[in-house]
Amino acid sequence: MSVGEPSYQGDEALAGLLKKSGAAADLRQIRGLLAGVIAAPEGERPDDWIGLVAPTADEATRAQLRALKRQLANTRKPASLAPGAPRLAALRKEMEKGGVAGFLVPRSDEHQGEYVPPRAERLAWLTGFTGSAGMAIVLADKAAVFVDGRYTLQVRAQTDTSLFEPQHSTEQPPENWIIANLPKGGKLGYDPWLHTTTQLKHLRKAVMQAGGELLALPDNPLDAAWPDQPPAPIAPAIALDIRFAGRNSQDKRESLGKSLATDGIAAAVLASPDSIAWLLNIRGADVPRTPFALGFAVLHQDAAVELFMDRRKFTPGLETHLGNQVAVNPPERFAAALDRLGHAKARVLIDPQTAPSWAFDRLKAAGAELVERDDPCLLPKARKNDVELAGTRAAHRRDGLAVTRFLNWISHEAPQGKVDELTAVRRLAEFRRSGEFFRDFSFDTISGAGSNGAIVHYRSSDATNRPLTEGELYLVDSGAQYFDGTTDITRTVAIGKPTAETKDRFTRVLKGHIALGMARFPRGTTGSALDALARYALWQTGLDYDHGTGHGVGSFLSVHEGPHRISKAPNRVALEPGMIVSNEPGYYKTGAYGIRIENLVTVIEDPRPGDERPMLAFETLTLAPIDRNLIDKKLLTADEIAWLDTYHARVRAALLPKADTETAAFLEEATKPI
Amino acid sequence: MSVGEPSYQGDEALAGLLKKSGAAADLRQIRGLLAGVIAAPEGERPDDWIGLVAPTADEATRAQLRALKRQLANTRKPASLAPGAPRLAALRKEMEKGGVAGFLVPRSDEHQGEYVPPRAERLAWLTGFTGSAGMAIVLADKAAVFVDGRYTLQVRAQTDTSLFEPQHSTEQPPENWIIANLPKGGKLGYDPWLHTTTQLKHLRKAVMQAGGELLALPDNPLDAAWPDQPPAPIAPAIALDIRFAGRNSQDKRESLGKSLATDGIAAAVLASPDSIAWLLNIRGADVPRTPFALGFAVLHQDAAVELFMDRRKFTPGLETHLGNQVAVNPPERFAAALDRLGHAKARVLIDPQTAPSWAFDRLKAAGAELVERDDPCLLPKARKNDVELAGTRAAHRRDGLAVTRFLNWISHEAPQGKVDELTAVRRLAEFRRSGEFFRDFSFDTISGAGSNGAIVHYRSSDATNRPLTEGELYLVDSGAQYFDGTTDITRTVAIGKPTAETKDRFTRVLKGHIALGMARFPRGTTGSALDALARYALWQTGLDYDHGTGHGVGSFLSVHEGPHRISKAPNRVALEPGMIVSNEPGYYKTGAYGIRIENLVTVIEDPRPGDERPMLAFETLTLAPIDRNLIDKKLLTADEIAWLDTYHARVRAALLPKADTETAAFLEEATKPI
């Protein structure tokens, strides 16, 4: 949207242009589509939607389509209800109409995603709180909002606490509040699309203990109270080329279908958009930073799929890509499909961790036999195939070069006081955008200078922006979505000369990173079993960090992907060859600095002479220098030094051929043996 | 029972002697009691039972009582049914009478103990298999016996495989066999006293899938088929002095009672004899190696206890020790007590992991509301109090001295070819017996020379006995029960000069032992999280061991005690100060040698300057040298060398004051810095 763009010339003019371009010129349809487009993130490719209405349009037509979108976006009416009390009152009115004493407002959509579309930002609309997790409970005369430890300050800053009691969700869980506050005999309503059965289990217990009733509502009273709630998002859904996916959809569907048949299961309900994206080799842009299209699907044991998705998202050719074993239906037909399964008394697999409880209830009511099991796509999606692995290696070379160029830039500019957190974010984005296959960032960059680095989920803003300052640390956690892979990397660098304390802490974090990075472990080992390796050096001196050590990562999909992870929390999923996981120990000193060293790694088979067990190990994917200025070499063992020097030699060898002269000089220096 | 003991002089003579001693002289009662005494282990104190009938008896009377016992033990009729086919046939006849198509014969008693009394050795009686875990399933025309990986060879050696198909219980679980073999509509019977509800859950699913029915039988058909089944054991139950227990029973009962009241629970069923022993500060000798008395109990929220135990076990004064808040009832009144709870519609805590399913069924049928939760004694029992910790430290000093004397003896005798596994066991036992407060061994010593050391659960016998041979390793895992503590220690020593390979392996095991031993970790850390620390050095070279790294240990109680442990298997119980746990990594090369280094440690608070978290650590309790000849110093880091030298200095300082000259010389040499 540059300043020089023409303004909108009117429907008639646009209709004419469209016709000339050979496109359908139904302006009503286009306006409908644009409502959805505006409700989807703009992302890095704000004009891709034009391909949905006029793929062959010339530049003049495209300019008018962009102008129409601008006009519609700008003329959206201001919120018809002021935030705070009026919205709460409107909700309570709808609750009263519905005959419920209370209502649950979680921060989640129908797919339990980490990112949700604007339409699902109900919690933010109601309370003002914009964190990525939380829930409000609204009763007739009081209300509370529950957030975890990350958000206790933010919720107080964003929410009118005279309307919503802020609560720490682990110290004072919703269950306790319900027991204390729900009136006896009171019905606590919920929207069954927005909760899993697993989530409801504990709530139901509490409601029963309060002598009340937990009640699924067919219509969400908050949606009724929200007159200008955005529609569902519409962003282009595309086919993912086999040169990136590595395995065609038919093959995936047949293999899973066979497994279902072996277990006597007729069909599986797929509620996770990333499972559907993986299974059908499609990608989308309905939510920020995660390239999938929202929808539901049913996979049958004969490998056929019923996909429930707004067809207006489909880019030309997608239908052909899906083939005739994939039936595309509008989302509202999902209910009827579940009913058919029920009427056939079919055994249906459904994942209680991800499927909306609505789907459970519907299937049960219709007579299906439910088999509660993990989403069958989870494991095969996590075990990347050779093409995906080759892709992620290539993506990491490009991403590593971008990060290295950025680190070089920082090393020159920051000591002169020319860089702050936000300029750094923009510069890093520029370096990444120039890479082949770049599509988007994989999450909003965490760019923390000095004390801001100690805030684990920090997002810089004008209000919090700090300059990168001599004598301080700078932490940058960022990643990108490329067609051939998803990246996620954290580097911490010293601006100027670091202190003995920060070197000690950085070196201990590095020791943990290396201990995990060079671990060999027998098949069957879980991430939970390995977590302590990354903490041991910190523990020995009484320190720790309050986040997991590693999360799974998708292949041009979610940057947080299960089912495996490396963390203190017990997890029964063994690490398997091809799984990608982050290795990111850290240390945070509140008010002073934050340290995190994050590489992505993939699990590999690692047979060596003399082994008595089938051993696995990690291959490091991420390629960028680790700040040598922050290392206290005395704290490292010979094995650790060898690991670091070998890693840096790999980084150098991989990046040098593509590096410009200035970056090459930096790289040579930054990857020297310590 | 020395050779010179007089023979039995007849009832009349004994009656006379008893009267003179001021004891009751009812010979029928004495014979009844002796049947139970003979059905209990003799252990290390075979005459203690005399205190139950004639505590004030003079030596002549005691000699006649011993003679009577010998006579009764020796004149027990030979088995009335030959092993093998006749016993199986007798069981099947009883099954037919009971109208069941099949019957489960687990190797367990009513308390799910690791050691069971002879009466509960039903699996051994039926199949000949004497391992510590397993189950037979008997159908009308076929039968199978399921054992785990430890016992696959042993079961084939002991069992007639034409009668019982041997099965690997994890590779071919009973559930699969049931599905494949139980006739449709067939009733599979079980004795509800011998299974927990947790165990039955999976079996029930399988039986349903086979189209059959799992049926609790009021009378065990095997017991009916076993005419000479021993009675329940009778061994003296004693009070544990407060100077060993550290906390009186009333205090424990009141504290647990208060917790029950807070949770609105009327009473808790206690099915674990070690929970009862801890709660009431009593000890017994009903099963080998574990000093508890078998029984059940109900703890009420007012701190009162109903104890269901054969009063004939009580040593004089025990009743007074228990006090008037503990009502002692014969075991057969347990049912009525549960019925009373049911009729009162009481909320009753019961542990599905330890309580017999019989108790569940009984409580439910009577109308109780069941609260399924861990046995409330588990955690407080695991967190040893200061007196128990002081006791275990003292016990470990005595035990360490005995082991060190033994290691010295080995170092002199073994290279001359004078020692074999069995003579070693006997010599070690002698050293231990001379220690103050010695009561029993805590398990049967594992004494493995050369290749026998590679068998993790090895028990030496005349058939397998090997000499300790120059150039080989010798592994000895042993422990004792002292009034003030339970010990468990493994040492591996080189006889003569070790090879480079055994030194490499030993040093890697030692690195694991040290990594765990010197770990500091934040409060809330579980043993599962720490397990990999003990394996890392082995993993790096492709090796591992197939057992857990650490088990909890009781205070003059079970040498294997929950709820905490250190193992690959997920465990949600955090390590807490006062818990005792073993640290015992190992390495086993089949057919060649075994290595294990085991110390007991206790969890301590470990605050140090600069700590940002409340940190815990391990204090090593076990005090005995680790074989310096087996260490390849080049493989150790400076920190590891410091740990070992410091440990050895502690061992020397603790044991030297009590060591004889010869042992002192050995100790000085064996604990020198490496």
Side-chain angles (χ1 to χ4, degrees):
Chain A
M1 282 192 286
S2 71
V3 182
E5 287 253 327
S7 57
Y8 188 54
Q9 302 296 319
D11 286 7
E12 209 163 317
L14 177 55
L17 284 165
L18 284 166
K19 254 180 222 160
K20 232 175 52 190
S21 298
D26 184 334
L27 265 291
R28 232 189 86 244
Q29 269 183 21
I30 290 176
R31 281 168 189 273
L33 181 104
L34 270 171
V37 168
I38 291 164
E42 278 223 321
E44 291 288 308
R45 302 163 71 100
D47 300 337
D48 275 6
W49 67 273
I50 295 174
L52 298 177
V53 292
T56 59
D58 59 13
E59 183 42 38
T61 314
R62 294 173 61 86
Q64 278 305 299
L65 283 166
R66 285 197 297 271
L68 172 57
K69 180 184 161 197
R70 274 202 308 284
Q71 195 196 55
L72 290 173
N74 294 337
T75 57
R76 271 155 75 202
K77 281 166 279 180
S80 55
L81 273 177
R87 295 183 184 182
L88 182 57
L91 171 58
R92 283 185 169 140
K93 211 166 137 189
E94 292 296 331
M95 284 162 48
E96 217 185 305
K97 273 195 219 165
V100 290
F103 186 64
L104 302 176
V105 184
R107 193 271 183 190
S108 56
D109 67 359
E110 293 82 346
H111 310 280
Q112 301 297 320
E114 185 176 348
Y115 290 97
V116 302
R119 175 179 179 71
E121 293 282 12
R122 296 176 179 90
L123 184 63
W125 177 82
L126 182 67
T127 67
F129 170 67
T130 60
S132 69
M135 179 167 76
I137 306 181
V138 178
L139 300 180
D141 54 352
K142 62 195 315 188
V145 56
F146 299 82
V147 302
D148 61 48
R150 292 173 291 176
Y151 292 123
T152 46
L153 292 178
Q154 184 175 330
V155 74
R156 285 176 184 278
Q158 296 183 319
T159 303
D160 181 344
T161 57
S162 72
L163 299 174
F164 297 92
E165 264 178 77
Q167 302 277 359
H168 189 296
S169 56
T170 45
E171 288 169 12
Q172 189 56 253
E175 287 78 10
N176 295 7
W177 195 87
I178 288 171
I179 293 170
N181 292 292
L182 186 68
K184 216 174 160 87
K187 287 174 184 152
L188 182 62
Y190 67 94
D191 180 343
W193 283 98
L194 305 182
H195 302 263
T196 67
T197 53
T198 304
Q199 290 161 359
L200 292 175
K201 210 176 270 179
H202 295 280
L203 292 170
R204 181 164 288 119
K205 236 185 204 168
V207 171
M208 280 174 62
Q209 210 175 317
E213 186 191 347
L214 192 66
L215 194 68
L217 302 182
D219 298 299
N220 189 317
L222 186 144
D223 292 1
W226 187 359
D228 40 12
Q229 184 182 31
I234 297 180
I238 58 168
L240 185 68
D241 200 283
I242 190 75
R243 72 184 162 131
F244 302 123
R247 192 173 160 207
N248 71 45
S249 169
Q250 190 179 346
D251 186 33
K252 295 177 183 177
R253 287 184 279 107
E254 281 177 356
S255 150
L256 292 190
K258 226 171 271 177
S259 294
L260 293 179
T262 304
D263 295 350
I265 294 170
V269 172
L270 303 181
S272 290
D274 57 348
S275 288
I276 296 169
W278 172 83
L279 183 65
L280 302 179
N281 288 340
I282 61 176
R283 294 296 186 270
D286 284 342
V287 298
R289 308 306 186 206
T290 314
F292 53 51
L294 298 178
F296 289 95
V298 175
L299 166 67
H300 294 266
Q301 61 164 239
D302 66 357
V305 161
E306 296 174 272
L307 176 63
F308 303 92
M309 192 176 276
D310 188 339
R311 201 187 291 253
R312 290 179 298 169
K313 291 179 199 174
F314 283 27
T315 48
L318 183 60
E319 199 106 30
T320 314
H321 163 81
L322 291 173
N324 55 19
Q325 260 202 313
V326 178
V328 183
N329 300 289
E332 55 274 19
R333 295 245 189 99
F334 184 35
L338 300 189
D339 291 346
R340 275 196 303 280
L341 288 169
H343 297 152
K345 307 269 175 243
R347 292 189 79 209
V348 180
L349 186 157
I350 185 162
D351 184 340
Q353 308 281 344
T354 59
S357 72
W358 174 89
F360 269 77
D361 299 344
R362 189 89 190 189
L363 281 167
K364 261 194 210 157
E369 180 189 343
L370 302 193
V371 180
E372 298 191 19
R373 256 194 226 177
D374 283 349
D375 179 330
C377 301
L378 268 188
L379 266 178
K381 170 161 61 69
R383 293 184 289 235
K384 271 63 178 173
N385 63 45
D386 288 346
V387 172
E388 290 171 319
L389 289 171
T392 198
R393 288 186 192 104
H396 276 92
R397 281 193 293 274
R398 289 192 298 280
D399 201 65
L401 188 59
V403 171
T404 304
R405 290 174 71 190
F406 172 73
L407 293 175
N408 171 48
W409 176 79
I410 288 276
S411 76
H412 289 101
E413 305 291 310
Q416 301 173 46
K418 291 186 189 164
V419 183
D420 63 31
E421 294 167 354
L422 290 173
T423 54
V425 170
R426 285 193 287 271
R427 196 79 187 91
L428 177 54
E430 284 165 23
F431 286 123
R432 277 210 170 91
R433 282 196 188 98
S434 63
E436 192 185 12
F437 299 140
F438 173 82
R439 181 93 178 163
D440 197 352
F441 303 101
S442 55
F443 57 97
D444 294 332
T445 296
I446 298 173
S447 171
S451 58
N452 283 340
I455 304 168
V456 174
H457 292 86
Y458 179 64
R459 293 296 184 279
S460 195
S461 69
D462 288 332
T464 62
N465 194 15
R466 292 183 93 243
L468 277 56
T469 307
E470 187 87 33
E472 291 195 341
L473 299 188
Y474 170 62
L475 182 155
V476 56
D477 185 352
S478 66
Q481 296 285 3
Y482 302 92
F483 276 117
D484 49 358
T486 302
T487 66
D488 182 1
I489 170 175
T490 309
R491 287 295 180 268
T492 306
V493 295
I495 310 300
K497 202 176 136 57
T499 64
E501 180 187 300
T502 53
K503 284 178 75 169
D504 176 90
R505 301 301 187 261
F506 184 89
T507 308
R508 287 178 186 277
V509 172
L510 179 61
K511 283 172 80 79
H513 181 90
I514 294 175
L516 186 60
M518 70 182 187
R520 305 180 73 222
F521 47 92
R523 251 181 201 282
T525 302
T526 66
S528 307
L530 299 182
D531 178 75
L533 299 176
R535 301 182 192 268
Y536 193 76
L538 287 165
W539 283 355
Q540 291 309 86
T541 187
L543 312 175
D544 199 1
Y545 50 94
D546 286 327
H547 58 72
T549 300
H551 54 84
V553 177
S555 188
F556 186 38
L557 267 178
S558 290
V559 76
H560 293 152
E561 180 183 278
H564 57 294
R565 62 179 171 176
I566 300 176
S567 80
K568 290 181 179 182
N571 178 310
R572 289 183 178 268
V573 181
L575 294 169
E576 290 188 58
M579 285 178 169
I580 296 176
V581 66
S582 66
N583 171 1
E584 50 176 314
Y587 169 74
Y588 310 90
K589 186 162 176 174
T590 306
Y593 58 88
I595 293 167
R596 186 159 65 249
I597 304 172
E598 176 186 25
N599 283 342
L600 298 192
V601 299
T602 182
V603 181
I604 55 168
E605 290 181 345
D606 184 41
R608 297 191 201 171
D611 283 358
E612 295 180 353
R613 316 265 171 145
M615 300 302 290
L616 304 177
F618 295 120
E619 172 194 327
T620 298
L621 297 169
T622 302
L623 295 164
I626 292 168
D627 191 357
R628 295 164 69 263
N629 299 318
L630 273 165
I631 297 173
D632 179 352
K633 193 177 166 182
K634 289 189 310 298
L635 289 177
L636 296 182
T637 66
D639 284 351
E640 290 165 344
I641 291 169
W643 184 93
L644 185 69
D645 288 345
T646 306
Y647 174 67
H648 272 153
R650 255 191 77 204
V651 171
R652 191 170 56 239
L655 304 187
L656 214 45
K658 301 265 183 175
D660 57 83
T661 321
E662 201 196 334
T663 307
F666 171 79
L667 193 58
E668 292 277 10
E669 189 61 32
T671 59
K672 276 199 312 202
I674 63 163
Chain B
M1 284 192 286
S2 71
V3 184
E5 287 256 325
S7 58
Y8 188 53
Q9 302 296 320
D11 286 6
E12 209 164 316
L14 178 55
L17 285 166
L18 284 167
K19 253 180 224 158
K20 232 173 53 190
S21 300
D26 184 335
L27 264 293
R28 231 187 90 245
Q29 268 184 19
I30 290 176
R31 280 166 191 275
L33 180 104
L34 270 171
V37 169
I38 291 164
E42 277 222 322
E44 290 287 309
R45 302 164 71 101
D47 300 337
D48 275 4
W49 67 273
I50 295 174
L52 299 178
V53 293
T56 58
D58 58 15
E59 183 42 37
T61 314
R62 293 173 63 87
Q64 278 304 297
L65 283 166
R66 285 198 298 270
L68 172 58
K69 180 185 162 196
R70 274 202 308 283
Q71 196 197 52
L72 289 173
N74 294 337
T75 56
R76 271 155 77 202
K77 280 165 278 177
S80 55
L81 271 177
R87 295 182 183 181
L88 183 55
L91 170 58
R92 283 184 169 141
K93 212 166 135 187
E94 293 295 331
M95 284 163 48
E96 219 185 303
K97 274 196 220 167
V100 291
F103 185 65
L104 302 175
V105 184
R107 193 272 185 189
S108 56
D109 67 0
E110 293 82 347
H111 310 279
Q112 301 297 319
E114 185 176 350
Y115 289 98
V116 302
R119 172 179 182 73
E121 292 283 12
R122 296 176 179 90
L123 184 63
W125 178 81
L126 181 67
T127 67
F129 170 68
T130 60
S132 69
M135 179 167 78
I137 306 180
V138 177
L139 300 180
D141 54 352
K142 61 193 320 185
V145 55
F146 299 83
V147 302
D148 63 46
R150 292 173 291 175
Y151 292 123
T152 46
L153 293 178
Q154 183 177 331
V155 73
R156 286 175 183 278
Q158 295 183 318
T159 303
D160 182 342
T161 56
S162 72
L163 300 175
F164 296 91
E165 264 179 77
Q167 303 277 359
H168 190 296
S169 56
T170 45
E171 288 170 11
Q172 190 56 253
E175 287 78 9
N176 295 8
W177 196 88
I178 288 171
I179 293 168
N181 292 291
L182 185 68
K184 218 176 158 83
K187 287 174 183 151
L188 182 61
Y190 68 94
D191 180 343
W193 282 98
L194 305 182
H195 302 262
T196 66
T197 53
T198 304
Q199 290 160 1
L200 292 174
K201 210 176 268 180
H202 296 281
L203 292 169
R204 179 163 289 121
K205 234 183 204 171
V207 171
M208 281 174 62
Q209 211 175 318
E213 186 190 346
L214 192 65
L215 194 67
L217 302 181
D219 298 298
N220 188 316
L222 187 144
D223 292 0
W226 187 0
D228 40 13
Q229 183 182 30
I234 296 180
I238 58 168
L240 185 68
D241 199 284
I242 190 74
R243 72 186 162 129
F244 301 123
R247 193 174 160 207
N248 71 45
S249 169
Q250 189 179 345
D251 185 34
K252 295 177 182 177
R253 288 184 280 109
E254 281 177 357
S255 151
L256 293 190
K258 225 171 273 178
S259 293
L260 294 179
T262 304
D263 294 351
I265 294 170
V269 171
L270 304 180
S272 290
D274 58 349
S275 288
I276 297 169
W278 173 83
L279 184 64
L280 302 180
N281 288 339
I282 61 175
R283 294 298 186 267
D286 283 342
V287 299
R289 309 307 186 205
T290 313
F292 53 53
L294 298 179
F296 288 95
V298 175
L299 166 67
H300 295 266
Q301 62 164 240
D302 66 356
V305 162
E306 296 175 90
L307 175 64
F308 304 92
M309 191 175 278
D310 187 339
R311 200 188 291 254
R312 290 179 298 169
K313 289 179 199 175
F314 282 26
T315 48
L318 183 59
E319 200 108 29
T320 314
H321 163 80
L322 290 172
N324 55 18
Q325 258 202 314
V326 179
V328 183
N329 301 289
E332 55 274 18
R333 296 244 188 99
F334 185 36
L338 300 190
D339 291 346
R340 274 195 304 279
L341 288 169
H343 297 153
K345 306 271 176 243
R347 291 190 81 208
V348 180
L349 186 158
I350 185 162
D351 185 342
Q353 309 280 344
T354 59
S357 72
W358 175 89
F360 270 75
D361 299 344
R362 188 89 190 190
L363 281 166
K364 260 194 211 159
E369 181 190 343
L370 301 194
V371 180
E372 299 192 17
R373 251 192 229 180
D374 284 348
D375 179 331
C377 300
L378 269 188
L379 266 179
K381 169 160 62 67
R383 293 184 290 233
K384 271 64 179 172
N385 62 46
D386 288 346
V387 171
E388 290 172 318
L389 290 171
T392 199
R393 287 187 191 105
H396 275 92
R397 281 193 294 273
R398 290 192 297 279
D399 201 65
L401 187 60
V403 170
T404 304
R405 290 173 71 191
F406 172 73
L407 293 175
N408 171 48
W409 176 78
I410 287 276
S411 76
H412 288 101
E413 305 290 311
Q416 302 174 43
K418 289 187 189 164
V419 183
D420 64 31
E421 293 167 353
L422 291 173
T423 55
V425 170
R426 284 192 288 270
R427 196 79 186 89
L428 177 54
E430 285 165 22
F431 287 123
R432 278 209 169 92
R433 282 195 189 98
S434 64
E436 193 185 11
F437 299 140
F438 173 82
R439 179 93 179 166
D440 196 353
F441 304 101
S442 56
F443 57 98
D444 294 332
T445 296
I446 297 174
S447 170
S451 57
N452 283 340
I455 305 168
V456 174
H457 291 86
Y458 180 64
R459 292 297 184 277
S460 194
S461 68
D462 289 332
T464 61
N465 193 15
R466 290 184 94 243
L468 275 57
T469 307
E470 187 87 31
E472 292 194 341
L473 298 188
Y474 171 62
L475 181 156
V476 55
D477 186 352
S478 66
Q481 295 285 3
Y482 302 91
F483 275 118
D484 50 357
T486 301
T487 67
D488 181 3
I489 170 174
T490 309
R491 287 296 180 267
T492 306
V493 294
I495 310 300
K497 202 178 138 54
T499 65
E501 180 187 300
T502 54
K503 284 177 74 168
D504 176 90
R505 302 300 188 262
F506 184 89
T507 309
R508 287 178 186 278
V509 172
L510 179 62
K511 283 172 81 77
H513 181 90
I514 294 175
L516 187 59
M518 69 182 188
R520 307 180 72 223
F521 47 92
R523 252 183 201 279
T525 302
T526 66
S528 307
L530 299 182
D531 178 76
L533 300 176
R535 301 181 193 269
Y536 192 76
L538 287 164
W539 283 356
Q540 290 311 83
T541 187
L543 312 175
D544 199 2
Y545 51 93
D546 287 327
H547 58 72
T549 299
H551 54 83
V553 176
S555 188
F556 186 39
L557 269 178
S558 290
V559 76
H560 293 153
E561 180 183 278
H564 58 294
R565 61 180 171 174
I566 301 175
S567 81
K568 290 181 179 183
N571 178 309
R572 288 182 178 268
V573 181
L575 294 170
E576 291 188 56
M579 286 179 168
I580 297 176
V581 66
S582 67
N583 171 359
E584 49 176 315
Y587 170 74
Y588 310 91
K589 186 163 178 174
T590 306
Y593 59 87
I595 293 166
R596 186 161 62 251
I597 304 173
E598 177 187 24
N599 284 342
L600 298 192
V601 299
T602 183
V603 180
I604 55 169
E605 291 181 344
D606 183 42
R608 298 191 201 171
D611 284 357
E612 296 180 353
R613 315 266 170 145
M615 301 301 291
L616 304 178
F618 295 121
E619 172 195 326
T620 299
L621 298 169
T622 303
L623 296 165
I626 292 169
D627 192 356
R628 296 165 69 261
N629 299 317
L630 272 166
I631 296 173
D632 181 352
K633 193 176 166 182
K634 290 189 308 298
L635 290 177
L636 296 182
T637 66
D639 284 350
E640 290 165 344
I641 291 169
W643 184 93
L644 184 70
D645 289 345
T646 306
Y647 173 67
H648 272 153
R650 254 191 78 204
V651 171
R652 191 169 57 238
L655 304 188
L656 214 48
K658 300 264 184 177
D660 56 84
T661 320
E662 199 193 308
T663 308
F666 170 80
L667 193 59
E668 293 275 11
E669 188 61 32
T671 59
K672 278 201 309 206
I674 63 164

